[in-house]
Amino acid sequence: KKVTAGISPALDPDSPESAVEDKVHELESEMHDAMQAGDYDLAQTKKVELNQMHIDDCGNVLQVNSAFYQAFSNKDYDAMERIWLSDS
């Protein structure tokens, strides 16, 4: 079952983040279904896809984090403001 509520505010259904969450849910469901059916090769393929998404996500976070702290070190308020995630 897909978790649709939590501590964080709900995602805009049309946002890129929501699309990623939907893809993760889809892959997890397909991996589970493959395991239940005994199709371990397909389950492994889905696991690899999930792992790659996680690695890509971590890399993206590290890049933005590095850019923010570079702007912080340079006291570049405008750059920090552009990089910082806003709730609006």
Side-chain angles (χ1 to χ4, degrees):
K1 182 177 176 184
K2 184 176 180 183
V3 175
T4 58
I7 296 172
S8 299
L11 293 173
D12 176 351
D14 297 324
S15 71
E17 294 85 1
S18 183
V20 170
E21 290 297 318
D22 290 345
K23 183 65 177 175
V24 167
H25 176 68
E26 176 187 326
L27 287 170
E28 287 175 340
S29 295
E30 290 172 353
M31 184 174 66
H32 178 266
D33 292 346
M35 289 292 294
Q36 293 290 6
D39 189 345
Y40 302 116
D41 290 334
L42 179 59
Q44 175 64 19
T45 299
K46 299 303 174 181
K47 178 181 177 239
V48 167
E49 287 182 62
L50 281 166
N51 287 345
Q52 188 61 54
M53 286 183 71
H54 177 73
I55 289 167
D56 292 345
D57 187 49
C58 289
N60 291 336
V61 169
L62 289 171
Q63 286 179 341
V64 172
N65 191 44
S66 177
F68 180 81
Y69 281 102
Q70 183 65 46
F72 182 82
S73 295
N74 294 336
K75 298 176 179 69
D76 186 345
Y77 180 78
D78 292 332
M80 286 188 289
E81 192 172 63
R82 283 191 306 274
I83 295 166
W84 194 260
L85 178 65
S86 84
D87 291 335
S88 54

